[in-house]
Amino acid sequence: MNIPNHVAIILDGNGRWAKSKGMPRNYGHVRGAQNLEVICRDAYNMGIKYLTVYLFSTENWKRSPDEVDALMKLFRRYTKTCIRTARDNNMKVRVLGDPTALADDLQESLKKLVESSKDNTGLNFQIAINYGSRDEIVRAIRKVAADCVDGQLKPEEITEERFSGYLDTAEVPDPDLLIRTSGEQRLSNYLLWQLAYTEFYFTEVPWPAFTKEELAKAIEKYNKRDRRYGGVKEE
Ligand code: IPE
Ligand code: IPE
Ligand code: MG
């Protein structure tokens, strides 16, 4: 079995999962966060080297203040736990997205998480929080423009590779497989540049119920795909 080097996940369906159990949406987020720790370990044990997960989009601020508040509390707790998990499991954590809209203490914890795990050599774990792909591209363009104005970069020197280096995912190879749980078949502003040649896998299973077996199923399907990158199939 060919294990994808980089798997990106849109972990969706926490709210619907909770509702189906007669529980409040926030309970779904709590269980979703717990499941993330489990899947993280499973992914690494299966041989996945990069795992990138979507925790909060630039559009998710539109949710009720109650839900946003509960999510932020959860991220605070999750980030602290993750500092320990990263140390125990040799994970290198990167944060994608614009942290400046997050509360100061959360920004501090995220910095600590990245800093304390930067020399780890196991799973490369990217968490996208206040992340939107269009926002990421615009922030990258601003940096490119600033470097051009400074004379550090000439417009004709801007290549796809150079530009990739200005994105939040600089250093991270493009995903091989994208998984979205809970039935929706859209990207919701996730990694638009990076997913140019990624295989997509959609499942009805909501995130809190997504297991190692479901991950294995996605990888099995991925193995049946014929990746071409615009070329023709080799006989
Ligand atoms: C995904 O679950 C988690 C976040 C977007 C924060 P949702 O909260 O989107 O759950 P559904 O899609 O409403 O069921
Ligand atoms: C995408 O899920 C964002 C995250 C999983 C963090 P949403 O539930 O917010 O996406 P839409 O609103 O269904 O497109
Ligand atoms: Mg959703």
Side-chain angles (χ1 to χ4, degrees):
M1 185 101 92
N2 173 20
I3 300 294
N5 183 49
H6 182 178
V7 176
I9 308 183
I10 301 177
L11 22 96
D12 196 17
N14 290 348
R16 280 165 283 171
W17 176 84
K19 203 175 161 210
S20 76
K21 302 245 172 290
M23 298 294 281
R25 291 180 59 81
N26 293 338
Y27 175 68
H29 295 316
V30 171
R31 294 294 297 268
Q34 287 169 354
N35 195 38
L36 183 53
E37 291 205 44
V38 176
I39 293 294
C40 228
R41 250 190 314 267
D42 293 339
Y44 188 59
N45 291 337
M46 286 167 88
I48 292 164
K49 299 286 190 302
Y50 290 82
L51 181 70
T52 302
V53 296
Y54 207 2
L55 296 189
F56 193 85
S57 75
T58 46
E59 287 69 36
N60 285 149
W61 298 105
K62 292 181 201 156
R63 296 186 177 199
S64 74
D66 251 20
E67 183 167 348
V68 170
D69 219 48
L71 281 167
M72 292 300 151
K73 279 209 184 85
L74 191 58
F75 295 148
R76 280 193 178 87
R77 218 176 323 139
Y78 178 75
T79 306
K80 294 218 169 89
T81 314
C82 201
I83 292 178
R84 251 177 295 135
T85 320
R87 189 190 54 211
D88 297 346
N89 297 343
N90 195 23
M91 276 158 46
K92 176 172 175 145
V93 186
R94 296 178 178 90
V95 177
L96 315 181
D98 177 6
T100 60
L102 304 171
D104 289 345
D105 67 308
L106 181 54
Q107 287 188 45
E108 276 310 307
S109 298
L110 287 168
K111 255 192 230 151
K112 210 161 127 193
L113 172 59
V114 171
E115 185 51 38
S116 65
S117 69
K118 72 175 186 337
D119 297 324
N120 291 345
T121 53
L123 180 73
N124 288 275
F125 183 49
Q126 288 69 239
I127 53 181
I129 174 163
N130 191 32
Y131 175 87
S133 191
R134 288 181 172 181
D135 176 68
E136 176 193 33
I137 291 170
V138 169
R139 285 187 286 107
I141 290 172
R142 286 204 191 118
K143 287 183 240 164
V144 169
D147 282 353
C148 285
V149 170
D150 282 359
Q152 288 179 42
L153 184 68
K154 295 194 186 79
E156 59 273 20
E157 287 169 348
I158 304 168
T159 58
E160 291 182 14
E161 283 70 29
R162 278 296 260 283
F163 184 70
S164 294
Y166 283 85
L167 295 169
D168 298 344
T169 48
E171 304 177 359
V172 178
D174 288 344
D176 301 287
L177 172 65
L178 169 85
I179 299 172
R180 182 166 186 153
T181 58
S182 210
E184 308 308 332
Q185 302 196 359
R186 55 176 171 260
L187 291 180
S188 302
N189 206 8
Y190 195 41
L191 303 172
L192 303 180
W193 171 279
Q194 297 86 343
L195 296 175
Y197 264 103
T198 302
E199 298 292 331
F200 289 3
Y201 177 84
F202 299 104
T203 171
E204 294 295 326
V205 177
W207 174 252
F210 189 86
T211 56
K212 178 169 75 181
E213 288 70 33
E214 295 296 331
L215 179 59
K217 241 194 257 176
I219 294 174
E220 210 174 290
K221 269 272 168 63
Y222 166 83
N223 269 270
K224 298 205 172 95
R225 303 274 174 87
D226 163 26
R227 301 190 81 188
R228 294 185 175 205
Y229 306 99
V232 288
K233 193 178 177 189
E234 278 168 39
E235 294 302 328

Short mmCIF file of all heavy atoms in Angstrom, two decimals, residues 96 131 133 136-141 143 160 162-171 174 193-194:
data_model
loop_
_atom_site.label_atom_id
_atom_site.label_comp_id
_atom_site.label_asym_id
_atom_site.label_seq_id
_atom_site.Cartn_x
_atom_site.Cartn_y
_atom_site.Cartn_z
N LEU A 96 -0.91 27.37 10.77
CA LEU A 96 -1.27 28.08 9.55
C LEU A 96 -2.38 29.06 9.87
O LEU A 96 -3.24 28.78 10.71
CB LEU A 96 -1.77 27.10 8.47
CG LEU A 96 -0.98 25.81 8.24
CD1 LEU A 96 -1.64 25.00 7.12
CD2 LEU A 96 0.47 26.11 7.90
N TYR A 131 -7.63 30.41 9.72
CA TYR A 131 -7.03 30.20 8.42
C TYR A 131 -8.08 30.35 7.31
O TYR A 131 -9.20 29.83 7.41
CB TYR A 131 -6.42 28.79 8.32
CG TYR A 131 -5.88 28.51 6.93
CD1 TYR A 131 -4.59 28.88 6.58
CD2 TYR A 131 -6.70 27.94 5.95
CE1 TYR A 131 -4.11 28.68 5.30
CE2 TYR A 131 -6.22 27.73 4.66
CZ TYR A 131 -4.93 28.10 4.34
OH TYR A 131 -4.47 27.90 3.08
N SER A 133 -7.71 30.41 2.89
CA SER A 133 -6.71 30.34 1.82
C SER A 133 -6.57 31.67 1.10
O SER A 133 -5.46 32.09 0.75
CB SER A 133 -7.12 29.25 0.84
OG SER A 133 -6.09 28.99 -0.04
N GLU A 136 -4.55 33.89 3.22
CA GLU A 136 -3.14 33.47 3.19
C GLU A 136 -2.46 33.99 1.92
O GLU A 136 -1.34 34.50 1.97
CB GLU A 136 -3.08 31.93 3.21
CG GLU A 136 -1.67 31.37 3.09
CD GLU A 136 -1.67 29.87 2.80
OE1 GLU A 136 -2.59 29.39 2.11
OE2 GLU A 136 -0.74 29.19 3.26
N ILE A 137 -3.16 33.87 0.78
CA ILE A 137 -2.58 34.31 -0.49
C ILE A 137 -2.38 35.83 -0.49
O ILE A 137 -1.33 36.33 -0.90
CB ILE A 137 -3.43 33.81 -1.68
CG1 ILE A 137 -3.28 32.27 -1.79
CG2 ILE A 137 -3.00 34.48 -2.98
CD1 ILE A 137 -4.25 31.61 -2.76
N VAL A 138 -3.37 36.55 0.03
CA VAL A 138 -3.24 38.02 0.08
C VAL A 138 -2.08 38.42 1.01
O VAL A 138 -1.27 39.29 0.66
CB VAL A 138 -4.57 38.68 0.53
CG1 VAL A 138 -4.38 40.15 0.85
CG2 VAL A 138 -5.63 38.51 -0.57
N ARG A 139 -1.96 37.74 2.16
CA ARG A 139 -0.84 38.06 3.06
C ARG A 139 0.50 37.77 2.38
O ARG A 139 1.47 38.52 2.54
CB ARG A 139 -0.97 37.28 4.38
CG ARG A 139 -2.05 37.84 5.31
CD ARG A 139 -2.06 37.17 6.68
NE ARG A 139 -2.61 35.83 6.64
CZ ARG A 139 -1.92 34.70 6.75
NH1 ARG A 139 -0.62 34.76 6.93
NH2 ARG A 139 -2.52 33.54 6.68
N ALA A 140 0.53 36.68 1.62
CA ALA A 140 1.77 36.32 0.90
C ALA A 140 2.09 37.39 -0.15
O ALA A 140 3.25 37.81 -0.28
CB ALA A 140 1.61 34.95 0.25
N ILE A 141 1.07 37.84 -0.86
CA ILE A 141 1.30 38.86 -1.91
C ILE A 141 1.82 40.15 -1.29
O ILE A 141 2.71 40.81 -1.85
CB ILE A 141 0.01 39.10 -2.74
CG1 ILE A 141 -0.28 37.86 -3.60
CG2 ILE A 141 0.14 40.34 -3.62
CD1 ILE A 141 -1.62 37.88 -4.31
N LYS A 143 3.71 40.37 1.31
CA LYS A 143 5.14 40.17 1.61
C LYS A 143 5.97 40.22 0.33
O LYS A 143 7.06 40.79 0.31
CB LYS A 143 5.35 38.82 2.32
CG LYS A 143 4.86 38.82 3.77
CD LYS A 143 5.15 37.48 4.44
CE LYS A 143 3.88 36.81 4.90
NZ LYS A 143 3.97 35.40 5.22
N GLU A 160 6.53 30.04 -9.26
CA GLU A 160 5.61 29.27 -8.41
C GLU A 160 6.33 28.84 -7.13
O GLU A 160 5.77 28.93 -6.04
CB GLU A 160 5.08 28.05 -9.17
CG GLU A 160 4.15 28.43 -10.30
CD GLU A 160 3.57 27.22 -11.02
OE1 GLU A 160 3.67 26.09 -10.50
OE2 GLU A 160 3.02 27.42 -12.12
N ARG A 162 9.05 30.15 -5.68
CA ARG A 162 9.33 31.31 -4.82
C ARG A 162 8.07 31.73 -4.07
O ARG A 162 8.09 31.99 -2.87
CB ARG A 162 9.80 32.51 -5.65
CG ARG A 162 11.28 32.57 -6.07
CD ARG A 162 12.24 32.66 -4.96
NE ARG A 162 12.82 33.93 -4.58
CZ ARG A 162 13.79 34.59 -5.20
NH1 ARG A 162 14.24 34.19 -6.35
NH2 ARG A 162 14.32 35.66 -4.66
N PHE A 163 6.97 31.81 -4.82
CA PHE A 163 5.71 32.25 -4.22
C PHE A 163 5.26 31.29 -3.11
O PHE A 163 4.83 31.73 -2.04
CB PHE A 163 4.61 32.41 -5.28
CG PHE A 163 3.35 32.95 -4.69
CD1 PHE A 163 3.27 34.27 -4.26
CD2 PHE A 163 2.24 32.13 -4.52
CE1 PHE A 163 2.11 34.78 -3.67
CE2 PHE A 163 1.07 32.63 -3.94
CZ PHE A 163 1.01 33.96 -3.52
N SER A 164 5.39 29.98 -3.36
CA SER A 164 5.02 28.99 -2.34
C SER A 164 5.73 29.26 -1.02
O SER A 164 5.18 29.02 0.05
CB SER A 164 5.36 27.57 -2.80
OG SER A 164 4.59 27.22 -3.91
N GLY A 165 6.97 29.75 -1.13
CA GLY A 165 7.77 30.03 0.05
C GLY A 165 7.25 31.19 0.89
O GLY A 165 7.67 31.37 2.03
N TYR A 166 6.33 31.97 0.34
CA TYR A 166 5.74 33.09 1.08
C TYR A 166 4.44 32.68 1.78
O TYR A 166 3.88 33.44 2.55
CB TYR A 166 5.44 34.25 0.14
CG TYR A 166 6.66 35.06 -0.25
CD1 TYR A 166 7.47 34.67 -1.30
CD2 TYR A 166 7.01 36.21 0.46
CE1 TYR A 166 8.59 35.40 -1.66
CE2 TYR A 166 8.12 36.95 0.11
CZ TYR A 166 8.91 36.55 -0.96
OH TYR A 166 10.02 37.29 -1.30
N LEU A 167 3.95 31.48 1.46
CA LEU A 167 2.69 31.03 2.07
C LEU A 167 2.95 30.48 3.47
O LEU A 167 4.09 30.20 3.84
CB LEU A 167 2.05 29.93 1.19
CG LEU A 167 1.60 30.41 -0.20
CD1 LEU A 167 1.23 29.22 -1.08
CD2 LEU A 167 0.40 31.36 -0.08
N ASP A 168 1.87 30.30 4.24
CA ASP A 168 2.02 29.76 5.60
C ASP A 168 2.59 28.35 5.56
O ASP A 168 3.12 27.86 6.55
CB ASP A 168 0.65 29.73 6.32
CG ASP A 168 0.05 31.11 6.47
OD1 ASP A 168 0.77 32.11 6.30
OD2 ASP A 168 -1.17 31.19 6.76
N THR A 169 2.44 27.69 4.41
CA THR A 169 2.90 26.30 4.28
C THR A 169 4.31 26.19 3.70
O THR A 169 4.69 25.12 3.25
CB THR A 169 1.94 25.51 3.37
OG1 THR A 169 1.72 26.32 2.19
CG2 THR A 169 0.62 25.21 4.04
N ALA A 170 5.06 27.31 3.69
CA ALA A 170 6.46 27.24 3.23
C ALA A 170 7.09 26.09 4.01
O ALA A 170 6.81 25.93 5.19
CB ALA A 170 7.17 28.54 3.56
N GLU A 171 7.91 25.30 3.40
CA GLU A 171 8.57 24.12 4.03
C GLU A 171 7.70 22.87 4.00
O GLU A 171 8.19 21.77 4.25
CB GLU A 171 8.90 24.31 5.52
CG GLU A 171 9.75 25.46 5.89
CD GLU A 171 9.90 25.55 7.42
OE1 GLU A 171 9.34 24.73 8.16
OE2 GLU A 171 10.62 26.45 7.84
N ASP A 174 3.09 19.82 -0.78
CA ASP A 174 1.65 19.86 -1.05
C ASP A 174 0.98 18.55 -0.59
O ASP A 174 1.59 17.49 -0.65
CB ASP A 174 1.39 20.03 -2.55
CG ASP A 174 1.72 21.44 -3.03
OD1 ASP A 174 1.84 22.35 -2.17
OD2 ASP A 174 1.85 21.62 -4.26
N TRP A 193 -4.27 26.94 -3.10
CA TRP A 193 -3.04 26.85 -3.90
C TRP A 193 -2.43 25.44 -3.78
O TRP A 193 -2.04 24.82 -4.77
CB TRP A 193 -2.06 27.93 -3.41
CG TRP A 193 -0.68 27.85 -3.98
CD1 TRP A 193 0.34 27.02 -3.57
CD2 TRP A 193 -0.15 28.61 -5.07
NE1 TRP A 193 1.46 27.24 -4.33
CE2 TRP A 193 1.19 28.20 -5.25
CE3 TRP A 193 -0.68 29.62 -5.88
CZ2 TRP A 193 2.01 28.76 -6.22
CZ3 TRP A 193 0.15 30.17 -6.85
CH2 TRP A 193 1.47 29.74 -7.01
N GLN A 194 -2.37 24.97 -2.53
CA GLN A 194 -1.65 23.73 -2.24
C GLN A 194 -2.35 22.48 -2.75
O GLN A 194 -1.73 21.44 -2.94
CB GLN A 194 -1.44 23.60 -0.72
CG GLN A 194 -0.59 24.69 -0.10
CD GLN A 194 -1.38 25.94 0.30
OE1 GLN A 194 -2.50 26.17 -0.16
NE2 GLN A 194 -0.79 26.76 1.15
#
